[in-house]
Amino acid sequence: MNWVLLTIAGLFEVAFAFCLGKAREATGYEMLIWYAGFIVSLTISMLLLIKATQTIPIGTAYAVWTGIGAVGTVLVGILVFKEPTSFSRLFFLTTLIASIIGLKMVSH
């Protein structure tokens, strides 16, 4: 169950990065709404990470959490914010995904 919580925590990390990107593009009241979304997403992500580390080693949990966040944020950047793609960028993104899977497989 804690692996599921860790995965959800990683997705909320993507959400708070997304909110930061949208806040950067917004002005006025809309910007404040995106920053509020950032704070809510950050809080949920951290609470779920804390819960997951009760049974998953902290080094593994943190690496997986940041990996999910990094992969998700790069994909959001490419798909939503129209950031550039290249073979190298996609190659290293793939190796990061493989590393996350590997950590999950070798963790007790």
Side-chain angles (χ1 to χ4, degrees):
M1 181 62 178
N2 282 333
W3 280 101
V4 172
L5 294 178
L6 183 60
T7 301
I8 295 168
L11 295 175
F12 272 100
E13 185 182 4
V14 175
F16 75 69
F18 172 75
C19 288
L20 278 177
K22 293 301 280 184
R24 186 183 62 197
E25 295 176 350
T27 58
Y29 184 70
E30 182 183 356
M31 181 179 62
L32 294 176
I33 292 171
W34 285 114
Y35 281 131
F38 164 79
I39 291 169
V40 169
S41 298
L42 176 66
T43 302
I44 293 169
S45 182
M46 290 295 158
L47 291 172
L48 292 172
L49 177 61
I50 290 166
K51 176 67 177 155
T53 59
Q54 291 176 349
T55 59
I56 301 170
I58 187 69
T60 300
Y62 186 76
V64 170
W65 177 75
T66 56
I68 292 169
V71 169
T73 301
V74 168
L75 292 175
V76 166
I78 291 169
L79 298 172
V80 176
F81 297 112
K82 307 298 183 216
E83 293 178 358
T85 60
S86 66
F87 172 79
S88 298
R89 194 170 189 197
L90 296 177
F91 171 78
F92 288 114
L93 188 63
T94 303
T95 61
L96 182 55
I97 293 167
S99 297
I100 293 167
I101 293 168
L103 280 171
K104 164 82 170 84
M105 291 172 50
V106 300
S107 294
H108 299 20

